[in-house]
Amino acid sequence: MLLLECPYCGVAADETELAAGGEAHLKRETVGSLDAEFEEYLFMRENPRGVHFERWRHAYGCGKWFLAARDTMTLEVFGTYPAQSKKPPKAIENLIKKKRPDWKGWA
Amino acid sequence: MSEPQTALQGATAQGFVTVSEDGLHGMISLRGDLNDPKLKAAVAKLTGAEVPAAGRISWKGDRGVAWMSPDELLVIGPYSSAGKDALVLSKALKGVHHLVANVSDARAVFRIEGAGFREVLAKLTPADVSMDAFGIGQIRRSRFAQVAGACWMLEEGSARVVCFRSVAGYIFGLLEHAARSGSEVGYF
């Protein structure tokens, strides 16, 4: 069972109260982008065995989107943060670096 | 004019706790910037209760305000005056970006009374309803079995469960079944 803390409500929400939204921090391509860049944006997703950043929605609660950093193999949650973030907060990044020294960075 | 009716006409069930459908509630959905002083003042003037912090519900007399999300409140009051209250709110919030809607008929409310009320809730929802996480003055939106719902607590030994009116029968069935005598778990 995956428990993620909603950064808005402050409650530990169960996986079944949430809706998964796929990979976080995608860069949206727009007018003038190359076909290859569009392909990357529309279809290509990371599928790591380890540290991953994801979008989640607190569907059965406040209804807001948030982002989560977790390990897809151990299900360890490093932290959650608001969806308005362009990149993970420094604190979460430092925590991951400490716990997973071989992690290559979020981008 | 036909008389307003609750979804289940006040159904009750007696198990190790009492489950009963509560009467009609006036409910007004209010969306906007919850930190706006004008919004805070309008809510306080109408209900006498403060705009609650995240995850909390404040109550004064027969009126209350529940925190639903970072930009949404549920203003609770008498059913008969909900239409008028909604107008009062939108008038008071003129010029402030907001949304007010009378949603009184959209929901059903249940009372769960008795020492084991946490057991009944915990059987149905993944939310943490232990004493540390769910106490007086708190509201928790979650799901009950397969449908969305919320529960709040205003006094020791009882809680309210609120759900959409269309699933009132389903929720009552769940609560009644979870509260049957002899099915106590004894966890809390």
Side-chain angles (χ1 to χ4, degrees):
Chain A
M1 194 168 84
L2 188 61
L3 281 176
L4 296 175
E5 187 187 309
C6 172
Y8 304 105
C9 302
V11 299
D14 176 52
E15 193 178 344
T16 57
E17 293 176 83
L18 305 168
E23 189 183 334
H25 303 300
L26 293 177
K27 184 180 168 280
R28 186 175 179 160
E29 297 300 335
T30 180
V31 182
S33 296
L34 299 171
D35 284 355
E37 290 166 342
F38 260 112
E39 186 199 18
E40 178 79 23
Y41 161 59
L42 289 170
F43 304 114
M44 304 313 216
R45 295 293 179 266
E46 296 291 325
N47 186 18
R49 189 163 173 263
V51 179
H52 194 33
F53 298 87
E54 291 171 332
R55 302 167 73 227
W56 288 87
R57 192 171 85 89
H58 196 185
Y60 280 94
C62 64
K64 303 293 178 203
W65 285 97
F66 63 90
L67 307 180
R70 69 179 186 102
D71 190 310
T72 55
M73 192 165 66
T74 63
L75 296 192
E76 179 179 4
V77 178
F78 301 112
T80 56
Y81 49 102
Q84 288 77 17
S85 319
K86 289 228 170 78
K87 56 182 187 176
K90 263 269 161 294
I92 290 180
E93 227 177 301
N94 290 340
L95 180 72
I96 301 173
K97 274 182 191 153
K98 214 171 111 196
K99 290 189 166 179
R100 304 280 187 279
D102 53 344
W103 178 55
K104 292 195 176 60
W106 68 276
Chain B
M1 270 288 280
S2 49
E3 290 296 313
Q5 304 286 327
T6 62
L8 304 177
Q9 314 259 305
T12 57
Q14 182 68 49
F16 64 90
V17 299
T18 311
V19 178
S20 51
E21 195 201 13
D22 219 348
L24 292 162
H25 284 64
M27 289 186 180
I28 298 164
S29 215
L30 170 61
R31 300 196 82 140
D33 178 1
L34 303 189
N35 290 316
D36 189 301
K38 219 170 159 183
L39 186 143
K40 281 185 171 177
V43 170
K45 194 173 174 217
L46 178 70
T47 61
E50 295 285 308
V51 170
R56 299 200 67 85
I57 177 168
S58 55
W59 204 271
K60 189 98 185 268
D62 58 351
R63 288 174 185 275
V65 190
W67 187 92
M68 300 295 273
S69 85
D71 58 0
E72 184 179 353
L73 295 175
L74 186 66
V75 179
I76 306 163
Y79 180 84
S80 55
S81 68
K84 216 174 69 204
D85 294 340
L87 281 178
V88 169
L89 271 181
S90 39
K91 251 191 208 137
L93 291 171
K94 213 168 173 195
V96 180
H97 182 64
H98 74 283
L99 178 143
V100 169
N102 178 6
V103 294
S104 304
D105 295 312
R107 296 202 175 95
V109 183
F110 296 93
R111 264 200 314 262
I112 308 171
E113 289 161 303
F117 78 93
R118 287 180 198 276
E119 301 242 310
V120 175
L121 295 178
K123 283 184 188 182
L124 303 171
T125 172
D128 187 354
V129 290
S130 65
M131 263 176 236
D132 299 335
F134 185 60
I136 292 171
Q138 270 178 296
I139 179 167
R140 176 69 150 89
R141 293 178 77 179
S142 182
R143 68 177 172 86
F144 290 85
Q146 300 188 36
V147 297
C151 52
W152 73 69
M153 199 177 155
L154 289 175
E155 64 210 0
E156 214 41 73
S158 83
R160 305 285 167 112
V161 169
V162 53
C163 67
F164 284 118
R165 186 182 171 113
S166 55
V167 292
Y170 174 74
I171 286 275
F172 183 77
L174 288 177
L175 292 171
E176 183 269 323
H177 191 261
R180 277 190 195 167
S181 299
S183 72
E184 300 92 328
V185 180
Y187 182 74
F188 294 108

